[in-house]
């Protein structure tokens, strides 16, 4: 009888040691205090009001490592409520920290909120930006780069340097004036320019013969951009957390809300070269340039700018199809990406989402399946938590396009934890679309023109499609994605084009499990801000 007991003690002892070492190995915490203010910057020639974070425009670069815990106290010194959202950060089990109006109360002026989230099992180039009103048009955005842990290999040699390029369309008009235009029921005018890192002149310096990483994100409001570097080809290595087949490209289309990471070897004669971001699919082409400076160069930039692709949508769609998962390489976790055979899973549900533009009460609104989203005064996530009825509607937006005139609602689509969805974005408009889902990345399995039908499934890439958090949908075309709903919460599905988002092209996906369990979802944060119908409640 004595022996088993001793063994048990031994096992308990081993477990205790393990537990201690797990605590010791807890992922590092990074602490930040960010203060948001207005400031004045001359960007396109004349001074204009911008939104600064810690006096910086764009905001500070967040450089973190996979699994780092981020504790970020955000102090709002604007005259309006404010929130930041972390574009592409999955917020595992933690939609509490997503920073959109469906999950968080906005931070009132002269007040603060401390975000607590983890870059759990993620790697790659991401961004953050203000999700409130039209703040994003004035700044407040920045890069969020998640580096690999030293124990996890990456499928390329460590680059000799790392550049972040936030590219985007820009208005000289203030965010309040832009908002007024939208509130009055009109569309925004064509932007005034394109910026690279908030400027029209930036220089990136590297040494001849060395290889540099360029992390390129489109942080603009609505315009797809084409990115290229004079005399240099770009090796695509990562797209929104996926390690891809490392093809070489002369130029890349980057749509609103998207990020790509490329490697560029400085293998040309020592000189300065143009870096170009120009608007795509627009009648007037706006162009921003920056400079790639070889450290030993004595020769300034010269010659014509490298040309944009001669062809439009079809070319762009073809390029998108060349983005493939490298099945044998890992991403943030040690197992190869290809060990998840997404193409062998039968979807539990198919949802077709058609975007539309129409006038409701004489004002321009955008809708999804005939429902134009309006914000509630109470975050949907908090209404759910405190069981407050009447805040949102779970039967407004349906999983198929509606034939009737658009109406407004605070629309939530109910789904169950562990559903596996096929989502088809059907774009019957002449405008380019960019769709984003919070809390997830998804496989982009197909692009096609015209109307999607079940027969189009034959064209899907069910083997090595990449996962990403934002996909483009070409005019009068469709894009199909697959998504594994393994992250419980209330998640924003939205147009990344901010005019469309602001005027209703969004809704929330409620990924639900009737049993409340900390294994599936973290508890409400102790510092949660309360507003609307949950004022005075105790978490
Ligand atoms: C606001 O900041 C203070 C420290 O300056 C902190 O103690 C407090 O928790 C923050 N409030 C919230 C809601 O996070
Ligand atoms: C795919 O990843 C593997 C493992 O990291 C790497 O050796 C290989 O070169 C990559 N293949 C391509 C085509 O990028």
């Amino acid at each position: 009888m004595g022996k088993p007991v001793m063994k048990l003690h031994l096992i308990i002892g081993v477990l205790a040691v393990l537990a201690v070492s797990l605590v010791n190995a807890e992922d590092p915490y990074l602490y930040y205090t960010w203060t948001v203010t207005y400031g004045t910057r001359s960007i396109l020639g004349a001074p204009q009001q911008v939104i600064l974070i810690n006096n910086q425009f764009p905001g500070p670069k967040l450089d973190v490592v996979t699994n780092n815990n981020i504790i970020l106290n955000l102090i709002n010194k604007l005259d309006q409520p404010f929130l930041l959202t972390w574009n592409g950060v999955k917020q595992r089990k933690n939609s509490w920290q997503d920073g959109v109006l469906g999950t968080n109360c906005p931070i009132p002026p002269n007040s603060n909120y401390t975000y607590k989230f983890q870059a759990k099992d993620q790697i790659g180039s991401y961004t953050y930006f203000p999700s409130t009103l039209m703040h994003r048009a004035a700044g407040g955005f920045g890069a969020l780069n998640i580096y690999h842990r030293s124990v996890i290999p990456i499928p390329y040699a460590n680059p000799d340097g790392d550049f972040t390029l936030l590219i985007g369309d820009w208005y000289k008009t203030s965010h309040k004036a832009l908002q007024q235009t939208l509130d009055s029921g009109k569309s925004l005018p064509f932007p005034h320019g394109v910026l690279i890192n908030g400027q029209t002149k930036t220089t990136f310096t590297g040494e001849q013969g060395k290889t540099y990483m360029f992390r390129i994100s489109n942080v603009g409001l609505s315009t797809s951009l084409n990115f290229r570097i004079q005399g240099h080809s770009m090796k695509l290595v990562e797209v929104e957390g996926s390690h891809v087949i490392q093809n070489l490209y002369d130029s890349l289309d980057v749509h609103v809300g998207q990020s790509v990471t490329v490697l560029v070897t400085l293998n040309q004669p020592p000189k300065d070269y143009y870096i170009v971001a120009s608007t795509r699919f627009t009648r007037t082409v706006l162009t921003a340039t920056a400079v790639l400076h070889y450290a030993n160069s004595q020769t300034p930039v010269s010659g014509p700018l490298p040309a944009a692709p001669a062809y439009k949508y079809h070319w762009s769609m073809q390029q998108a199809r060349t983005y493939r998962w490298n099945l044998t390489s890992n991403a943030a976790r040690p197992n190869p990406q290809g060990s998840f055979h997404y193409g062998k899973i039968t979807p539990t549900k198919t949802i077709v989402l058609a975007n539309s533009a129409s006038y409701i009460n004489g004002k321009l609104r955008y809708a999804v399946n005939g429902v134009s989203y309006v914000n509630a005064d109470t975050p949907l996530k908090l209404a759910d938590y405190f069981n407050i009825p009447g805040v949102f509607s779970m039967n407004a937006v349906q999983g198929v396009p509606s034939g009737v005139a658009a109406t407004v609602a605070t629309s939530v689509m109910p789904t169950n934890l562990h559903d596996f969805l096929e989502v088809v974005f059907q774009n019957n408009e002449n405008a380019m679309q960019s769709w984003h889902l919070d809390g997830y990345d998804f496989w982009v399995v197909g692009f096609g023109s015209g109307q999607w039908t079940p027969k189009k499934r034959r064209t899907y890439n069910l083997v090595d499609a990449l996962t990403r958090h934002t996909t483009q949908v070409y005019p009068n075309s469709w894009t199909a994605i697959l998504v594994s709903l393994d992250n419980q919460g209330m998640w924003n599905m939205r147009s990344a084009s901010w005019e469309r988002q602001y005027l209703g092209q969004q809704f929330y996906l409620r990924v639900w499990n009737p049993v409340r369990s900390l294994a599936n979802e973290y508890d409400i944060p102790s510092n949660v801000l309360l507003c609307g119908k949950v004022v005075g409640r105790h978490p």
Side-chain angles (χ1 to χ4, degrees):
M1 285 301 279
K3 260 187 169 174
V5 172
M6 217 179 75
K7 266 192 192 150
L8 191 64
H9 279 153
L10 208 80
I11 290 167
I12 290 170
V14 168
L15 283 178
V17 169
L18 258 177
V20 167
S21 63
L22 280 179
V23 169
N24 288 342
E26 198 182 2
D27 300 301
Y29 280 73
L30 305 175
Y31 295 86
Y32 303 90
T33 303
W34 282 8
T35 305
V36 184
T37 58
Y38 286 123
T40 305
R41 293 286 189 277
S42 282
I43 293 168
L44 291 174
Q48 69 178 103
Q49 186 188 60
V50 292
I51 291 177
L52 306 174
I53 298 179
N54 291 355
N55 225 17
Q56 295 173 51
F57 170 82
K61 186 153 63 84
L62 261 185
D63 281 336
V64 307
V65 172
T66 302
N67 292 351
N68 280 177
N69 292 291
I70 294 141
I71 311 289
L72 190 148
N73 194 354
L74 186 63
I75 303 168
N76 177 17
K77 294 282 182 191
L78 304 183
D79 56 351
Q80 294 179 320
F82 186 81
L83 278 176
L84 287 179
T85 188
W86 317 95
N87 201 45
V89 173
K90 290 189 204 166
Q91 304 289 6
R92 243 190 114 58
K93 307 177 188 178
N94 202 9
S95 63
W96 306 111
Q97 306 290 350
D98 202 29
V100 288
L101 288 174
T103 59
N104 294 76
C105 295
I107 307 166
N110 294 310
S111 187
N112 67 302
Y113 173 68
T114 308
Y115 287 88
K116 296 174 187 167
F117 63 91
Q118 192 180 15
K120 182 75 182 153
D121 294 334
Q122 290 193 256
I123 185 170
S125 308
Y126 301 93
T127 59
Y128 62 85
F129 64 82
S131 69
T132 35
L133 302 171
M134 288 301 287
H135 293 146
R136 179 178 169 165
F141 49 74
L144 199 173
N145 299 327
I146 310 179
Y147 289 83
H148 70 109
R149 292 191 288 152
S150 57
V151 293
I152 305 287
I154 43 172
Y156 47 86
N158 265 321
D160 296 299
D162 197 319
F163 301 128
T164 294
L165 293 91
L166 304 174
I167 61 177
D169 54 18
W170 186 259
Y171 289 88
K172 295 187 220 173
T173 321
S174 77
H175 72 91
K176 286 185 185 171
L178 293 174
Q179 186 194 332
Q180 244 168 32
T181 301
L182 297 178
D183 288 344
S184 74
K186 295 193 202 81
S187 186
L188 293 182
F190 190 64
H192 298 123
V194 173
L195 304 181
I196 298 178
N197 289 349
Q199 301 176 44
T200 53
K201 293 186 184 103
T202 322
T203 298
F204 301 89
T205 302
E207 285 174 37
Q208 196 179 19
K210 294 199 165 166
T211 297
Y212 295 85
M213 175 171 271
F214 285 70
R215 301 169 177 272
I216 305 145
S217 297
N218 187 333
V219 295
L221 288 191
S222 66
T223 319
S224 296
L225 298 174
N226 181 266
F227 182 86
R228 50 203 187 270
I229 304 177
Q230 188 182 30
H232 293 76
S233 58
M234 304 178 280
K235 186 191 272 183
L236 188 69
V237 293
E238 181 258 330
V239 177
E240 294 161 26
S242 281
H243 282 145
V244 294
I245 298 293
Q246 296 175 5
N247 296 320
L248 292 173
Y249 296 88
D250 290 329
S251 83
L252 289 167
D253 282 347
V254 188
H255 307 277
V256 180
Q258 296 185 334
S259 299
V260 294
T261 308
V262 299
L263 295 178
V264 178
T265 300
L266 273 50
N267 55 6
Q268 296 298 308
K271 218 172 79 61
D272 288 1
Y273 296 87
Y274 284 114
I275 293 173
V276 182
S278 63
T279 59
R280 217 33 190 125
F281 322 127
T282 55
R283 221 166 292 146
T284 310
V285 176
L286 299 175
T287 302
T289 59
V291 174
L292 172 59
H293 171 70
Y294 279 46
N296 55 344
S297 154
Q298 307 290 335
T299 316
V301 279
S302 64
L305 298 184
Y311 299 99
K312 293 192 169 166
Y313 302 117
H314 184 70
W315 184 96
S316 188
M317 200 186 278
Q318 291 288 29
Q319 178 177 77
R321 290 193 183 115
T322 65
Y323 294 7
R324 300 284 179 97
W325 243 9
N326 180 338
L327 296 178
T328 57
S329 88
N330 60 291
R333 290 164 65 91
N335 54 311
Q337 296 174 127
S339 55
F340 196 100
H341 298 282
Y342 69 92
K344 299 218 162 90
I345 303 169
T346 308
T348 41
K349 216 196 281 191
T350 296
I351 293 167
V352 181
L353 300 174
N355 50 277
S356 62
S358 59
Y359 286 83
I360 301 179
N361 299 328
K363 288 182 171 182
L364 175 64
R365 297 286 309 183
Y366 297 99
V368 191
N369 290 355
V371 183
S372 184
Y373 186 87
V374 284
N375 284 307
D377 62 347
T378 310
L380 320 183
K381 182 72 198 149
L382 300 185
D384 236 355
Y385 179 82
F386 291 109
N387 286 312
I388 294 172
V391 172
F392 57 83
S393 162
M394 287 215 282
N395 47 29
V397 69
Q398 301 297 313
V400 287
S402 89
V404 300
T407 52
V408 297
T410 303
S411 39
V412 171
M413 189 177 280
T415 61
N416 297 314
L417 185 63
H418 304 310
D419 276 353
F420 192 83
L421 296 189
E422 175 188 33
V423 180
V424 179
F425 299 107
Q426 178 68 50
N427 180 15
N428 297 330
E429 296 185 65
N430 288 322
M432 192 70 206
Q433 305 291 322
S434 191
W435 275 100
H436 171 89
L437 175 59
D438 278 355
Y440 287 93
D441 55 4
F442 45 73
W443 290 272
V444 184
V445 292
F447 295 95
S449 38
Q451 285 294 320
W452 179 87
T453 64
K455 279 189 187 154
K456 306 285 185 182
R457 290 186 179 125
R458 274 186 259 154
T459 68
Y460 285 3
N461 175 357
L462 294 178
V463 179
D464 60 356
L466 85 173
T467 59
R468 62 187 316 173
H469 56 67
T470 303
T471 186
Q472 71 272 32
V473 190
Y474 295 94
N476 302 300
S477 299
W478 55 268
T479 299
I481 65 165
L482 298 176
V483 55
S484 178
L485 298 185
D486 58 358
N487 193 12
Q488 189 169 317
M490 188 66 90
W491 301 109
N492 194 205
M493 174 86 92
R494 62 170 175 260
S495 173
S497 167
W498 217 244
E499 161 173 334
R500 286 180 169 265
Q501 183 276 159
Y502 184 78
L503 293 179
Q505 191 177 322
Q506 58 167 319
F507 65 93
Y508 282 78
L509 203 61
R510 183 193 196 229
V511 182
W512 180 251
N513 188 333
V515 185
R516 222 174 246 188
S517 158
L518 291 179
N520 292 332
E521 188 167 27
Y522 296 153
D523 213 348
I524 189 168
S526 56
N527 65 335
V528 66
L529 296 180
L530 300 174
C531 57
K533 295 192 172 69
V534 296
V535 168
R537 299 284 181 129
H538 294 286

